[in-house]
Amino acid sequence: MNDDLVIFPKATISRLPLYFRALSDYHHVGMQFVSSEEMAAKVGITSSQLRKDLSYFGGLGIRGTGYDVSYLLAKIKDVLGMNHPRRLAIIGAGKLGTALAGYKGFPQHGLEVKALFDIDETKIGWQFGEIAIYHISALKKLKNELKLDIATIAVPADAAQQVTEVVVEAGFKAIWNFAPVRLKVPEDVYVRYEDLVVGVLMLSHHLTRTSR
Amino acid sequence: MNDDLVIFPKATISRLPLYFRALSDYHHVGMQFVSSEEMAAKVGITSSQLRKDLSYFGGLGIRGTGYDVSYLLAKIKDVLGMNHPRRLAIIGAGKLGTALAGYKGFPQHGLEVKALFDIDETKIGWQFGEIAIYHISALKKLKNELKLDIATIAVPADAAQQVTEVVVEAGFKAIWNFAPVRLKVPEDVYVRYEDLVVGVLMLSHHLTRTSR
DNA sequence: ATATACTTGTGAAAAATATCACAAGGATGA
DNA sequence: TCATCCTTGTGATATTTTTCACAAGTATAT
């Protein structure tokens, strides 16, 4: 509520999950304080970059001692919106969708997959542990019932825009898109593009550069 | 062989896959030329950024006309090392590993998943279409036999470093790591970190910033 | 031919990000 | 208390990336 108007650089935000995990580990083994040097080594960046990132929070380290693990953890959680849980809908109950639904890493980051959606009638009703597969026509209703925040698009490229329209219609303001296409959405809907192929092709590029 | 010593900025490389896909679409419908304006709109960036990116290739557009779709496609393939196919090993035949193994998008990018590896004896021998699951102890042998280029690490975080050692020992120089930990590797091994949680937490952050 | 419309390529400027380097705060021990 | 050792926070600088703006090349129509 009183929360500062500090704008975090995007690059910083993208590293906060790394810090979060490192701190979780430290917390787990009962460490109270950690220096920027030590933590930076753990996550694989320079200590000055870590300090610069944390400086946007506004001086929460203690000179000569380091950072209070629990305190910093809480601050990062706050900024990443991990305090009240985020509820995910996954559209597309194929290989990728179901793999995401079962991903063990989500809960420890305050993320809950609450429902899968598909158009394939033969899949409807299937249950993955707690998570059921619904027909996509039920999206709007279930968004409200289950208080879904984020729509994950895990359908083939040629169905993505169509699905997006349903998602927008249902009232989602945040979309996590795995389909390799640009989505047309209203101004107030935020889309995050996840492109698996980019990573591996950057590796491939690297191999061509080094191996001859 | 004679290939220029041009260094492509990392940011540019990361966009080449987008261009590749857009161009593939154009090619598919028989378009011969495309302007930076049109293509930029399709991939969701500015035309000047696209032109700047393509300028590193060294002037392959035609003023007043645009870029030759087939020619540009070939150039991009070349830079991304998509000419001779990249062969992937996937270590970890869990949800993520098998989802990756079945990912339809790989072949059209010159990527071939050739083998899955696991330690779980009960999984060994299983066959996913063309792709079999082997015991990880066979990694080195199969790397040579199947000419594997890239090792994909899709195991739990606490097994990742151990698996990495086996991968390095087997002679891989490129690692695509999905485990949320920093890997210790020799200088000449290139690691690309893929962190799914980053994307969704950035969405989560965005939601906290806008919704109050 | 010439005028007009279109589009690239690229220097220059701006913005974002990362690194440096060190003053100053705090801990520790004699 | 004082000297010494650590570690943060941050201005200043360097690097990377993006955007701007326009000269110059090409096509097209008359």
Side-chain angles (χ1 to χ4, degrees):
Chain A
M1 203 56 83
N2 69 335
D3 265 330
D4 5 32
L5 314 170
V6 190
I7 303 286
F8 287 76
K10 283 200 195 66
T12 296
I13 295 292
S14 74
R15 282 186 293 266
L16 294 186
L18 305 186
Y19 305 158
F20 171 80
R21 282 196 291 260
L23 289 164
S24 296
D25 286 358
Y26 292 137
H27 188 68
H28 211 251
V29 297
M31 249 173 98
Q32 286 224 19
F33 293 93
V34 65
S35 72
S36 59
E37 198 70 53
E38 175 165 358
M39 188 166 150
K42 179 168 170 114
V43 303
I45 60 171
T46 64
S47 66
S48 63
Q49 179 162 67
L50 174 53
R51 287 200 302 280
K52 184 66 110 180
D53 281 342
L54 297 185
S55 76
Y56 295 106
F57 288 88
L60 33 68
I62 303 161
R63 297 176 187 211
T65 302
Y67 296 87
D68 182 311
V69 171
S70 304
Y71 188 64
L72 183 50
L73 204 46
K75 284 290 187 184
I76 289 179
K77 273 183 168 176
D78 190 43
V79 170
L80 289 180
M82 297 164 69
N83 284 329
H84 57 108
R86 295 295 178 196
R87 301 185 188 82
L88 309 195
I90 297 179
I91 331 285
K95 283 256 178 55
L96 178 60
T98 51
L100 284 171
Y103 183 51
K104 297 286 197 303
F106 286 150
Q108 54 204 270
H109 293 87
L111 302 165
E112 297 174 6
V113 177
K114 301 298 264 188
L116 279 155
F117 296 86
D118 210 299
I119 31 166
D120 184 346
E121 297 285 355
T122 66
K123 291 179 180 170
I124 315 295
W126 254 93
Q127 192 87 13
F128 278 80
E130 299 271 286
I131 310 162
I133 304 183
Y134 303 94
H135 192 272
I136 189 157
S137 58
L139 185 62
K140 192 169 188 170
K141 184 170 139 259
L142 280 159
K143 176 185 185 299
N144 298 323
E145 255 172 46
L146 301 175
K147 297 205 176 83
L148 305 173
D149 302 301
I150 295 172
T152 309
I153 296 186
V155 302
D158 54 4
Q161 183 60 46
Q162 209 178 339
V163 161
T164 300
E165 253 116 71
V166 180
V167 164
V168 168
E169 192 0 61
F172 283 93
K173 298 299 179 196
I175 295 177
W176 194 21
N177 177 37
F178 283 81
V181 285
R182 198 82 197 168
L183 302 178
K184 288 179 206 65
V185 294
E187 280 261 315
D188 63 337
V189 176
Y190 188 76
V191 181
R192 166 86 196 178
Y193 293 87
E194 206 70 55
D195 190 339
L196 291 177
V197 166
V198 169
V200 66
L201 285 185
M202 286 181 83
L203 274 172
S204 175
H205 164 75
H206 179 82
L207 285 174
T208 67
R209 286 252 131 250
T210 51
S211 75
R212 61 168 166 161
Chain B
M1 202 60 83
N2 68 336
D3 264 331
D4 4 32
L5 314 171
V6 191
I7 303 285
F8 286 76
K10 283 200 195 68
T12 296
I13 295 291
S14 74
R15 281 185 295 265
L16 293 186
L18 305 186
Y19 305 159
F20 170 80
R21 281 196 292 259
L23 289 164
S24 296
D25 286 357
Y26 292 136
H27 187 69
H28 211 251
V29 297
M31 249 174 97
Q32 286 222 20
F33 293 93
V34 65
S35 73
S36 60
E37 198 70 52
E38 175 165 358
M39 189 166 150
K42 180 170 169 111
V43 305
I45 60 171
T46 64
S47 65
S48 63
Q49 179 162 67
L50 174 52
R51 287 200 301 281
K52 183 65 107 182
D53 281 342
L54 298 184
S55 76
Y56 295 107
F57 287 88
L60 33 68
I62 302 163
R63 297 176 187 212
T65 303
Y67 297 86
D68 182 311
V69 171
S70 304
Y71 187 63
L72 184 49
L73 204 46
K75 283 291 187 183
I76 290 179
K77 274 183 169 175
D78 190 45
V79 170
L80 289 179
M82 295 163 71
N83 284 329
H84 57 109
R86 296 297 178 196
R87 301 185 188 81
L88 308 196
I90 297 179
I91 331 285
K95 283 256 179 56
L96 178 60
T98 52
L100 285 172
Y103 183 51
K104 298 285 196 304
F106 285 150
Q108 55 203 270
H109 293 87
L111 302 164
E112 297 174 6
V113 177
K114 301 299 265 187
L116 279 156
F117 295 86
D118 210 298
I119 30 167
D120 184 346
E121 296 285 355
T122 66
K123 289 180 182 169
I124 315 297
W126 253 93
Q127 193 87 11
F128 278 81
E130 300 270 285
I131 311 160
I133 304 184
Y134 304 94
H135 192 271
I136 189 157
S137 58
L139 185 62
K140 191 169 191 170
K141 184 170 138 260
L142 280 160
K143 176 185 185 299
N144 297 322
E145 255 172 47
L146 300 176
K147 299 205 176 82
L148 305 174
D149 302 301
I150 296 172
T152 309
I153 297 186
V155 303
D158 54 5
Q161 183 59 47
Q162 209 179 338
V163 160
T164 300
E165 253 116 70
V166 180
V167 164
V168 168
E169 193 358 63
F172 283 93
K173 299 299 180 197
I175 295 178
W176 194 22
N177 177 36
F178 283 82
V181 285
R182 199 81 197 167
L183 302 178
K184 289 180 204 65
V185 295
E187 280 260 315
D188 64 337
V189 177
Y190 188 75
V191 181
R192 166 86 197 180
Y193 293 87
E194 206 70 53
D195 190 339
L196 291 177
V197 166
V198 169
V200 65
L201 285 185
M202 286 182 83
L203 274 172
S204 174
H205 164 75
H206 179 82
L207 285 174
T208 66
R209 287 252 134 249
T210 52
S211 74
R212 64 170 162 151

